[in-house]
């Protein structure tokens, strides 16, 4: 039987997560996202996720037999800038490695992240959907679209 582990990010996960953050950022950039898949951005996302996980935010990672399956990086506590209607955590990254896609891992990872987020006192998870597929996945998870984000060229 395969050994499955889903838990909060730890410093020792950095080596496993780093190349997949690169893949995540590259895919998001191809879909129209602004974050470039540079070493600097990968390191910034990685450090933010580790800091957020240490603070109790729902940044979770999954492994099967020691191999990384994917991760959620939902951040709230390290950036409480505004007072809002909901106590929101922001989904910076949800990623499932290609060989594990379409096997229910996205749902499992988000389910654990939702439980940890609720336990930490969050009442909503916000995020961007840069592709129609991502939007469909978010809506299947219960997301309610309440606005549109656009960019104005300067």
């Amino acid at each position: 039987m395969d050994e499955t582990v889903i838990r909060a990010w730890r410093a020792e996960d950095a080596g496993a997560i780093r190349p997949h953050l690169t893949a995540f950022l590259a895919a998001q950039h191809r879909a129209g996202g602004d974050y470039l898949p540079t070493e600097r951005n990968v390191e910034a996302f990685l450090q933010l996720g580790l800091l957020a996980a240490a603070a109790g935010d729902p940044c979770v990672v999954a492994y099967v037999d020691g191999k990384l399956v994917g991760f959620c990086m939902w951040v709230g506590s390290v950036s409480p800038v505004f007072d809002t209607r909901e106590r929101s955590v922001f989904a910076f990254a949800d990623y499932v490695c290609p060989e594990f896609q379409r096997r229910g891992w996205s749902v499992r990872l988000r389910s654990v992240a939702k439980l940890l987020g609720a336990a930490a006192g969050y009442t909503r998870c916000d995020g961007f959907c840069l592709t129609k597929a991502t939007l469909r996945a978010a809506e299947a998870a219960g997301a309610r679209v309440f606005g549109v984000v656009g960019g104005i060229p300067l």
Side-chain angles (χ1 to χ4, degrees), residues 3 6 20 27-28 35 54 60 63 67 76 113 117 130 132 143 148 154:
E3 179 188 11
I6 302 177
H20 297 291
Q28 293 303 305
Y35 295 107
V60 297
Y63 291 93
K67 184 171 183 172
L130 298 175
K132 289 180 182 178
V148 176
L154 302 179

Side-chain angles (χ1 to χ4, degrees), residues 64-126:
V64 170
D65 292 335
K67 184 171 183 172
L68 182 75
V69 170
F71 55 85
C72 285
M73 182 181 150
W74 293 5
V75 178
S77 66
V78 297
S79 184
V81 178
F82 300 106
D83 296 321
T84 58
R85 179 185 325 265
E86 301 277 345
R87 183 157 183 259
S88 295
V89 63
F90 188 82
F92 273 87
D94 290 350
Y95 182 78
V96 175
C97 300
E99 61 268 34
F100 293 99
Q101 291 176 1
R102 310 230 185 294
R103 297 186 194 173
W105 280 105
S106 178
V107 171
R108 282 181 246 176
L109 282 162
R110 280 195 309 269
S111 293
V112 172
K114 286 169 71 174
L115 288 171
L116 292 175
Y122 293 106
T123 58
R124 185 174 73 197
C125 177
D126 295 330

Side-chain angles (χ1 to χ4, degrees), residues 28-52:
Q28 293 303 305
H29 186 258
R30 284 190 305 273
D34 285 333
Y35 295 107
L36 300 174
T38 62
E39 288 183 32
R40 178 179 170 202
N41 283 346
V42 169
E43 191 62 25
F45 268 71
L46 180 62
Q47 294 307 314
L48 179 60
L50 290 169
L51 181 64

